[in-house]
Amino acid sequence: DAKTTQPNSMESNEEEPVHLPCNHSTISGTDYIHWYRQLPSQGPEYVIHGLTSNVNNRMASLAIAEDRKSSTLILHRATLRDAAVYYCILRYTGANSKLTFGKGITLSVRP
Amino acid sequence: EAQVTQNPRYLITVTGKKLTVTCSQNMNHEYMSWYRQDPGLGLRQIYYSMNVEVTDKGDVPEGYKVSRKEKRNFPLILESPSPNQTSLYFCASSTPGVGNTEAFFGQGTRLTVV
């Protein structure tokens, strides 16, 4: 499985934008870039995914580098509820399109 | 509301006493899987199922069994639990074989084996 590399932690102030980076230099052409987050005491929750183009949804934006070797999850206005562990995952199209979770990045949001 | 439901949420049991953790989804997904989450090790896949009566091992299947007799249910069975199976377990479902769909996770089952 292609791996991702994320910083261990990041801090942000409430109502400010947050940029969470992810490196995936061994990504293959059929890997989708997924982001999930896990709030304390909850199961992982889907945030966003993309293949080549930047993506926006109601939760966040995903900026994908042109060579696809890195991506950035953008939370436009962080809230206290956004404090969580964020996982950048490469999901391939195959029989077992499992999600391989790394350690993720722990986001703290200051009031 | 789309959801994956696991039961129980919390379970304390003794070594060797068979137990089953249930998982049910209401999205008609063919693909379901089980993960365990341990400190420092992250989430690791135990078993997965591509459809009814089709199951296969994930990364850490030892000590676990699964069955898939109906599309909506995917129970995790521990025939003889041991303390090293103390963990937080998550069930997930999604559309199979397609990398561009989201996975839905249950709320988790915290299992303690003493």
Side-chain angles (χ1 to χ4, degrees):
Chain A
D1 297 336
K3 291 190 174 179
T4 63
T5 305
Q6 302 176 255
N8 289 332
S9 62
M10 186 170 285
E11 286 190 340
S12 171
N13 294 318
E14 196 175 12
E15 298 190 3
E16 289 185 357
V18 181
H19 291 232
L20 303 176
C22 181
N23 289 319
H24 28 79
S25 58
T26 59
I27 190 171
S28 73
T30 55
D31 287 341
Y32 284 82
I33 302 161
H34 282 245
W35 283 81
Y36 284 74
R37 72 180 185 181
Q38 189 172 19
L39 301 170
S41 302
Q42 293 192 25
E45 173 188 31
Y46 168 82
V47 177
I48 200 166
H49 77 273
L51 184 63
T52 56
S53 304
N54 295 344
V55 184
N56 300 298
N57 67 19
R58 63 175 179 80
M59 288 182 71
S61 295
L62 176 60
I64 301 173
E66 197 169 332
D67 63 4
R68 300 211 324 129
K69 294 185 176 181
S70 65
S71 61
T72 302
L73 179 71
I74 303 165
L75 307 179
H76 296 287
R77 287 179 73 243
T79 68
L80 296 178
R81 194 190 173 279
D82 291 323
V85 179
Y86 287 78
Y87 298 97
C88 170
I89 300 167
L90 301 182
R91 194 177 194 200
Y92 63 95
T93 298
N96 181 18
S97 52
K98 69 179 179 182
L99 296 163
T100 300
F101 288 82
K103 290 184 167 50
I105 177 171
T106 300
L107 174 65
S108 304
V109 181
R110 291 184 290 254
Chain B
E1 180 189 356
Q3 60 184 6
V4 177
T5 304
Q6 294 178 227
N7 279 296
R9 293 288 311 278
Y10 302 91
L11 179 59
I12 301 174
T13 190
V14 296
T15 299
K17 186 177 180 181
K18 181 180 178 179
L19 67 91
T20 300
V21 183
T22 64
C23 174
S24 180
Q25 49 95 4
N26 63 359
M27 294 161 281
N28 204 37
H29 285 155
E30 291 87 357
Y31 181 90
M32 297 184 74
S33 63
W34 276 101
Y35 293 81
R36 62 178 287 174
Q37 185 172 30
D38 302 289
L41 298 175
L43 284 103
R44 296 174 292 169
Q45 190 187 57
I46 304 170
Y47 267 94
Y48 67 97
S49 170
M50 296 295 293
N51 211 326
V52 175
E53 303 292 0
V54 181
T55 63
D56 208 345
K57 297 176 180 178
D59 298 319
V60 288
E62 293 77 22
Y64 304 95
K65 285 176 58 177
V66 292
S67 71
R68 189 88 181 276
K69 292 182 169 47
E70 306 166 280
K71 185 184 270 192
R72 65 182 292 122
N73 297 322
F74 189 44
L76 180 69
I77 303 157
L78 284 72
E79 296 260 353
S80 183
S82 62
N84 65 12
Q85 293 178 298
T86 293
S87 187
L88 181 57
Y89 292 87
F90 291 101
C91 179
S93 76
S94 68
T95 304
V98 181
N100 67 342
T101 60
E102 66 181 280
F104 294 80
F105 284 81
Q107 287 292 82
T109 296
R110 186 167 292 282
L111 172 66
T112 302
V113 183
V114 297

